[in-house]
Amino acid sequence: MIGVSGGIAAYKICYLVRYFVRNGAEVRIIMTPSAVNFVSPVTLSALSRNEVIINMFPPADKVSSSEKVETKTWHVNLGLWADVFIIAPATANTLAKINAGISDNFLLTTVLASRCPVFLAPAMDDDMIKNSVTVRNLKSLSASGFKMIEPEYGELASGLVGEGRMAEPERIFEIIKDFLLRTGDLTGRKILVTAGPTAENLDRVRFITNSSTGKMGFAIAEAASDRGAAVTLITGPVNLDTPEGVKRIDVRTADEMFRKVKSNCSKKDLIVMTAAVEDFVPVKTDKGKIKKEEKEKFVFEFRRAVDILEYLGKKKNGYKLIGFALETDDEIENAKKKLKRKNLDMIVSNNPDSEGSGFGTETNKVSFITERKTEQLPLMSKYDVGNAILDRYLKMK
Ligand code: CTP
C-alpha cells in the first residue's frame, strides 16, 4: 500500500508503482487531498490498476449497498490487508501529524489502523528537514517503530541543493523488496540474540529480577531479521511482541537461559548478548510460600550464576561475539576490561544515567569498543543502534 502526501516528489510515485506492479505486487494507493495537486489520481489509478482513495467519506451516491460495509471501514480493511505501507513522499506536515496521532484525512487514519510495518520516505526542503521540530518528529517516529527511508542530498524543487530530496523510487523499491523477501546484506547468516531480564524465584510467589525491558535485544533481532538473517531470540520475561520472522524462545531464570543458549549456539555466525542476566541466583527456592510467622528477619543464600557470555567467549567456535556492558562509573574503562575478560569481538557500553538511555527507553546512547578502537555514537533509536551493531559486525574480519 502506498500513501502519497502533497509534495513535488509525488510525481515520482508513478515510477514506484510501476516497479511494484511489474514485479507482481498488488498495489493500493491512498492520497492526501493536497497530493492531487501534484500528481493525478487518474494516472496512479491506471498504473496501480486499482481505485485511488482520497476522501475519508465516499459520496453516498457512489456507494452501492453491498459496498457500504466495506467502504465505511476501508481504513481498517486496508490497514489489515497490506503487507507493508509506504508513505512517499512523506511531507513535514504528514510526518508531524502521524507523530501526533492526528487522523484528519484518509491516509492518516489508515496509518493509525495499520498492523503492518509503515515506511516513511520524507521529502521536503533543506531548511524544513533541518528544523529542530522536524528533527524531533523524525526521531520520535523512528523510536515508535516507523521505518525511515532516509532522504538524499541533492537538487531540491526550490532550486536549492541540500538534504531532504526523497529517496529515488528505485531505492525505495529495493528497500521494500529486501524487507518483504527478507533478503539483505545478512541473508544466509544465523544470529542468536538474548534479551530481557531473568527472574529468580525465592519461593512460590516471590522473585528477584531487574529493570531490563528487553527493548534493545528485540530491536537488534528485528533489525537483523529485516536484513535477511535467520534470527533466534532467547528472552527472559518481557512484555514485547516478537519481531516478524524471528524465532523466539522464552525463558525465566539465568539457568534456563544458559541451557537454551548452549543448545542454540552451534552453527551461529553472530551471538549478541543483551540480556541482563541476574548475576546471583538463590541457592534454593522454597516450593511453597515462605510464612512470616516467627520470623523477624531471615537471610537468603545466593550463588553466582554462570556468566553465559564468558562461557561463549571461551567456547568460541566460528561465531563473532558481541556483549553489552551496563556501567554507571568509568564506563569505557570497565567495558574494556569486560571485552578482554570475556574474549569478545566488540562490547557495546551504555550508561543508564545518560539522557535517553537505559531501561525502558526507546533510544540509547552507546559506545562501541573493540580491541582497536572506541567509537561514541549519538543518541539513536534502539532499532538504529541495532543496525549500527550489525554494520560493525559485517566489517569484522
Ligand atoms: N552476562 C552474561 N551472564 C551473566 C551476566 C552477564 O552473559 N550471568 C552478559 C550480559 O548479557 C552482557 C555482559 O555479560 O552482555 C555484561 O553484563 P554486565 O551486567 O554489564 O556485567 P557483568 O559481567 O555482570 O559484571 P558487573 O555486574 O560486575 O558489572
Side-chain angles (χ1 to χ4, degrees):
M1 187 155 62
I2 302 177
V4 186
S5 64
I8 305 278
Y11 78 91
K12 294 188 182 174
I13 300 311
C14 298
Y15 298 96
L16 183 63
V17 176
R18 285 187 68 179
Y19 290 137
F20 280 117
V21 172
R22 255 195 226 146
N23 282 276
E26 189 174 340
V27 180
R28 293 278 187 139
I29 298 177
I30 302 170
M31 298 175 81
T32 61
S34 71
V36 301
N37 296 313
F38 298 91
V39 60
S40 158
V42 179
T43 311
L44 290 179
S45 170
L47 290 172
S48 67
R49 300 171 192 160
N50 268 314
E51 190 183 340
V52 170
I53 308 164
I54 304 158
N55 296 314
M56 192 91 124
F57 307 105
D61 61 334
K62 281 205 165 174
V63 183
S64 74
S65 57
S66 62
E67 281 170 347
K68 232 171 212 157
V69 176
E70 199 222 347
T71 321
K72 267 190 195 160
T73 55
W74 248 352
H75 58 290
V76 178
N77 295 339
L78 286 174
L80 294 179
W81 166 83
D83 295 315
V84 65
F85 192 3
I86 312 147
I87 316 288
T91 58
N93 181 44
T94 290
L95 290 170
K97 285 183 172 181
I98 296 175
N99 192 37
I102 295 172
S103 54
D104 63 358
N105 64 39
F106 192 82
L107 186 151
L108 295 167
T109 314
T110 312
V111 170
L112 275 185
S114 288
R115 287 198 193 159
C116 63
V118 182
F119 283 76
L120 305 171
M124 64 197 81
D125 208 47
D126 185 72
D127 293 311
M128 293 170 83
I129 202 147
K130 287 183 179 152
N131 188 295
S132 62
V133 176
T134 311
V135 171
R136 197 174 64 216
N137 285 334
L138 289 171
K139 209 182 265 178
S140 144
L141 284 163
S142 47
S144 306
F146 289 90
K147 296 180 193 296
M148 288 297 158
I149 301 179
E150 298 298 333
E152 294 165 1
Y153 183 89
E155 204 180 309
L156 301 164
S158 60
L160 295 171
V161 172
E163 308 285 339
R165 190 183 149 100
M166 187 180 80
E168 288 302 323
E170 205 169 349
R171 200 175 128 234
I172 300 179
F173 172 72
E174 287 301 326
I175 290 172
I176 303 298
K177 189 182 85 183
D178 283 351
F179 175 76
L180 288 174
L181 301 178
R182 292 288 193 283
T183 58
D185 51 5
L186 291 172
T187 300
R189 314 264 178 148
K190 296 192 182 72
I191 299 182
L192 175 65
V193 182
T194 66
T198 63
E200 314 298 333
N201 294 337
L202 299 174
D203 69 6
R204 175 83 176 72
V205 293
R206 301 180 179 93
F207 58 90
I208 59 161
T209 185
N210 58 65
S211 311
S212 169
T213 58
K215 283 186 179 165
M216 191 61 245
F218 274 61
I220 297 171
E222 183 181 2
S225 173
D226 287 352
R227 289 167 71 162
V231 184
T232 305
L233 173 65
I234 301 179
T235 177
V238 294
N239 203 1
L240 297 172
D241 292 333
T242 313
E244 265 179 64
V246 168
K247 179 183 168 199
R248 170 174 174 167
I249 299 171
D250 285 283
V251 297
R252 182 171 170 82
T253 65
D255 286 350
E256 274 168 33
M257 183 167 282
F258 181 45
R259 279 200 295 277
K260 288 295 177 191
V261 167
K262 267 201 299 191
S263 57
N264 281 280
C265 69
S266 71
K267 300 206 180 99
K268 292 289 181 284
D269 298 292
L270 168 68
I271 302 180
V272 189
M273 279 289 304
T274 67
V277 186
E278 281 298 326
D279 289 323
F280 295 96
V281 300
V283 170
K284 73 173 183 40
T285 301
D286 210 294
K287 289 222 158 45
K289 181 185 169 209
I290 300 169
K291 301 295 287 175
K292 66 170 177 273
E293 280 150 28
E294 291 166 25
K295 283 195 196 79
E296 273 315 305
K297 60 178 182 182
F298 66 91
V299 175
F300 252 107
E301 202 184 348
F302 287 87
R303 64 171 168 81
R304 275 276 284 271
V306 180
D307 190 316
I308 305 174
L309 192 56
E310 206 168 312
Y311 164 87
L312 291 169
K314 281 193 187 122
K315 181 182 159 77
K316 246 197 200 169
N317 56 2
Y319 48 77
K320 296 288 178 202
L321 188 58
I322 298 179
F324 267 69
L326 188 74
E327 306 290 351
T328 47
D329 305 295
D330 302 326
E331 185 182 336
I332 304 297
E333 269 324 294
N334 282 330
K336 274 185 182 163
K337 282 185 200 152
K338 282 180 195 167
L339 175 84
K340 227 176 165 155
R341 179 159 51 88
K342 304 195 186 196
N343 189 24
L344 311 177
D345 296 285
M346 184 168 97
I347 192 152
V348 182
S349 90
N350 53 169
N351 184 336
D353 299 333
S354 156
E355 206 187 322
S357 297
F359 301 117
T361 56
E362 301 297 338
T363 50
N364 209 354
K365 190 162 189 262
V366 300
S367 301
F368 291 161
I369 300 157
T370 62
E371 215 180 7
R372 285 184 301 123
K373 67 172 181 184
T374 297
E375 223 183 315
Q376 279 179 341
L377 282 84
L379 186 68
M380 294 159 97
S381 71
K382 287 186 173 170
Y383 183 79
D384 289 344
V385 172
N387 272 318
I389 291 171
L390 297 166
D391 290 342
R392 301 309 180 278
Y393 155 67
L394 281 172
K395 288 193 186 133
M396 284 176 188
K397 300 229 167 66

mmCIF file of all heavy atoms in Angstrom, residues 76-94:
data_model
loop_
_atom_site.group_PDB
_atom_site.id
_atom_site.type_symbol
_atom_site.label_atom_id
_atom_site.label_comp_id
_atom_site.label_asym_id
_atom_site.label_seq_id
_atom_site.Cartn_x
_atom_site.Cartn_y
_atom_site.Cartn_z
ATOM 1 N N VAL A 76 -9.638 0.499 8.077
ATOM 2 C CA VAL A 76 -9.282 -0.689 8.858
ATOM 3 C C VAL A 76 -8.962 -1.843 7.920
ATOM 4 O O VAL A 76 -7.950 -2.522 8.054
ATOM 5 C CB VAL A 76 -10.414 -1.084 9.825
ATOM 6 C CG1 VAL A 76 -10.044 -2.352 10.585
ATOM 7 C CG2 VAL A 76 -10.712 0.038 10.789
ATOM 8 N N ASN A 77 -9.843 -2.022 6.905
ATOM 9 C CA ASN A 77 -9.633 -3.135 5.977
ATOM 10 C C ASN A 77 -8.277 -3.029 5.283
ATOM 11 O O ASN A 77 -7.546 -4.000 5.176
ATOM 12 C CB ASN A 77 -10.741 -3.180 4.923
ATOM 13 C CG ASN A 77 -12.077 -3.493 5.558
ATOM 14 O OD1 ASN A 77 -12.112 -4.036 6.663
ATOM 15 N ND2 ASN A 77 -13.151 -3.139 4.893
ATOM 16 N N LEU A 78 -7.965 -1.824 4.817
ATOM 17 C CA LEU A 78 -6.692 -1.662 4.112
ATOM 18 C C LEU A 78 -5.520 -1.833 5.060
ATOM 19 O O LEU A 78 -4.502 -2.417 4.721
ATOM 20 C CB LEU A 78 -6.623 -0.283 3.444
ATOM 21 C CG LEU A 78 -7.486 -0.135 2.197
ATOM 22 C CD1 LEU A 78 -7.473 1.302 1.702
ATOM 23 C CD2 LEU A 78 -6.999 -1.059 1.083
ATOM 24 N N GLY A 79 -5.697 -1.326 6.276
ATOM 25 C CA GLY A 79 -4.652 -1.456 7.294
ATOM 26 C C GLY A 79 -4.359 -2.914 7.603
ATOM 27 O O GLY A 79 -3.232 -3.290 7.896
ATOM 28 N N LEU A 80 -5.375 -3.751 7.507
ATOM 29 C CA LEU A 80 -5.183 -5.179 7.766
ATOM 30 C C LEU A 80 -4.690 -5.910 6.521
ATOM 31 O O LEU A 80 -3.938 -6.859 6.600
ATOM 32 C CB LEU A 80 -6.507 -5.821 8.220
ATOM 33 C CG LEU A 80 -7.065 -5.353 9.559
ATOM 34 C CD1 LEU A 80 -8.382 -6.064 9.844
ATOM 35 C CD2 LEU A 80 -6.079 -5.642 10.678
ATOM 36 N N TRP A 81 -5.133 -5.405 5.359
ATOM 37 C CA TRP A 81 -4.832 -6.086 4.095
ATOM 38 C C TRP A 81 -3.346 -5.989 3.728
ATOM 39 O O TRP A 81 -2.732 -6.956 3.282
ATOM 40 C CB TRP A 81 -5.702 -5.473 2.987
ATOM 41 C CG TRP A 81 -5.265 -5.832 1.606
ATOM 42 C CD1 TRP A 81 -5.575 -6.976 0.927
ATOM 43 C CD2 TRP A 81 -4.424 -5.062 0.747
ATOM 44 N NE1 TRP A 81 -4.974 -6.961 -0.307
ATOM 45 C CE2 TRP A 81 -4.261 -5.793 -0.446
ATOM 46 C CE3 TRP A 81 -3.781 -3.815 0.847
ATOM 47 C CZ2 TRP A 81 -3.495 -5.345 -1.511
ATOM 48 C CZ3 TRP A 81 -3.011 -3.361 -0.196
ATOM 49 C CH2 TRP A 81 -2.881 -4.116 -1.368
ATOM 50 N N ALA A 82 -2.765 -4.807 3.950
ATOM 51 C CA ALA A 82 -1.422 -4.553 3.414
ATOM 52 C C ALA A 82 -0.338 -5.362 4.122
ATOM 53 O O ALA A 82 -0.417 -5.609 5.312
ATOM 54 C CB ALA A 82 -1.105 -3.066 3.534
ATOM 55 N N ASP A 83 0.680 -5.759 3.351
ATOM 56 C CA ASP A 83 1.873 -6.374 3.955
ATOM 57 C C ASP A 83 2.828 -5.288 4.402
ATOM 58 O O ASP A 83 3.618 -5.469 5.325
ATOM 59 C CB ASP A 83 2.593 -7.258 2.930
ATOM 60 C CG ASP A 83 1.734 -8.443 2.521
ATOM 61 O OD1 ASP A 83 1.146 -9.059 3.422
ATOM 62 O OD2 ASP A 83 1.632 -8.723 1.312
ATOM 63 N N VAL A 84 2.752 -4.171 3.709
ATOM 64 C CA VAL A 84 3.637 -3.069 4.049
ATOM 65 C C VAL A 84 2.981 -1.769 3.573
ATOM 66 O O VAL A 84 2.236 -1.778 2.597
ATOM 67 C CB VAL A 84 5.032 -3.304 3.398
ATOM 68 C CG1 VAL A 84 4.988 -3.273 1.892
ATOM 69 C CG2 VAL A 84 6.064 -2.312 3.890
ATOM 70 N N PHE A 85 3.209 -0.698 4.294
ATOM 71 C CA PHE A 85 2.607 0.600 3.959
ATOM 72 C C PHE A 85 3.762 1.600 3.791
ATOM 73 O O PHE A 85 4.567 1.772 4.706
ATOM 74 C CB PHE A 85 1.689 1.009 5.132
ATOM 75 C CG PHE A 85 0.762 2.178 4.863
ATOM 76 C CD1 PHE A 85 0.711 2.795 3.623
ATOM 77 C CD2 PHE A 85 -0.068 2.646 5.881
ATOM 78 C CE1 PHE A 85 -0.156 3.858 3.383
ATOM 79 C CE2 PHE A 85 -0.946 3.706 5.657
ATOM 80 C CZ PHE A 85 -0.977 4.317 4.407
ATOM 81 N N ILE A 86 3.824 2.203 2.613
ATOM 82 C CA ILE A 86 4.917 3.148 2.337
ATOM 83 C C ILE A 86 4.322 4.537 2.169
ATOM 84 O O ILE A 86 3.468 4.733 1.296
ATOM 85 C CB ILE A 86 5.639 2.781 1.010
ATOM 86 C CG1 ILE A 86 5.973 1.291 0.972
ATOM 87 C CG2 ILE A 86 6.873 3.634 0.789
ATOM 88 C CD1 ILE A 86 5.904 0.711 -0.420
ATOM 89 N N ILE A 87 4.743 5.472 2.990
ATOM 90 C CA ILE A 87 4.275 6.845 2.809
ATOM 91 C C ILE A 87 5.374 7.591 2.047
ATOM 92 O O ILE A 87 6.455 7.853 2.584
ATOM 93 C CB ILE A 87 4.029 7.582 4.152
ATOM 94 C CG1 ILE A 87 3.303 6.694 5.157
ATOM 95 C CG2 ILE A 87 3.298 8.907 3.920
ATOM 96 C CD1 ILE A 87 1.871 6.430 4.879
ATOM 97 N N ALA A 88 5.096 7.894 0.777
ATOM 98 C CA ALA A 88 6.101 8.538 -0.065
ATOM 99 C C ALA A 88 5.396 9.418 -1.095
ATOM 100 O O ALA A 88 4.553 8.909 -1.812
ATOM 101 C CB ALA A 88 6.947 7.479 -0.776
ATOM 102 N N PRO A 89 5.709 10.680 -1.176
ATOM 103 C CA PRO A 89 6.570 11.382 -0.241
ATOM 104 C C PRO A 89 5.856 11.603 1.093
ATOM 105 O O PRO A 89 4.639 11.735 1.122
ATOM 106 C CB PRO A 89 6.819 12.723 -0.939
ATOM 107 C CG PRO A 89 5.660 12.908 -1.860
ATOM 108 C CD PRO A 89 5.185 11.541 -2.235
ATOM 109 N N ALA A 90 6.646 11.627 2.161
ATOM 110 C CA ALA A 90 6.093 11.980 3.470
ATOM 111 C C ALA A 90 6.504 13.428 3.746
ATOM 112 O O ALA A 90 7.685 13.705 3.959
ATOM 113 C CB ALA A 90 6.636 11.045 4.543
ATOM 114 N N THR A 91 5.542 14.324 3.674
ATOM 115 C CA THR A 91 5.860 15.740 3.875
ATOM 116 C C THR A 91 6.040 16.040 5.369
ATOM 117 O O THR A 91 5.637 15.247 6.224
ATOM 118 C CB THR A 91 4.704 16.631 3.356
ATOM 119 O OG1 THR A 91 3.523 16.246 4.075
ATOM 120 C CG2 THR A 91 4.476 16.460 1.874
ATOM 121 N N ALA A 92 6.590 17.206 5.651
ATOM 122 C CA ALA A 92 6.802 17.611 7.055
ATOM 123 C C ALA A 92 5.469 17.614 7.791
ATOM 124 O O ALA A 92 5.367 17.182 8.941
ATOM 125 C CB ALA A 92 7.443 18.994 7.101
ATOM 126 N N ASN A 93 4.422 18.076 7.098
ATOM 127 C CA ASN A 93 3.088 18.148 7.698
ATOM 128 C C ASN A 93 2.550 16.751 8.037
ATOM 129 O O ASN A 93 2.089 16.501 9.151
ATOM 130 C CB ASN A 93 2.152 18.860 6.704
ATOM 131 C CG ASN A 93 0.752 19.016 7.236
ATOM 132 O OD1 ASN A 93 0.558 19.387 8.388
ATOM 133 N ND2 ASN A 93 -0.227 18.716 6.405
ATOM 134 N N THR A 94 2.646 15.843 7.073
ATOM 135 C CA THR A 94 2.150 14.479 7.316
ATOM 136 C C THR A 94 2.960 13.793 8.413
ATOM 137 O O THR A 94 2.405 13.116 9.283
ATOM 138 C CB THR A 94 2.164 13.672 5.990
ATOM 139 O OG1 THR A 94 1.133 14.208 5.157
ATOM 140 C CG2 THR A 94 1.897 12.202 6.208
#
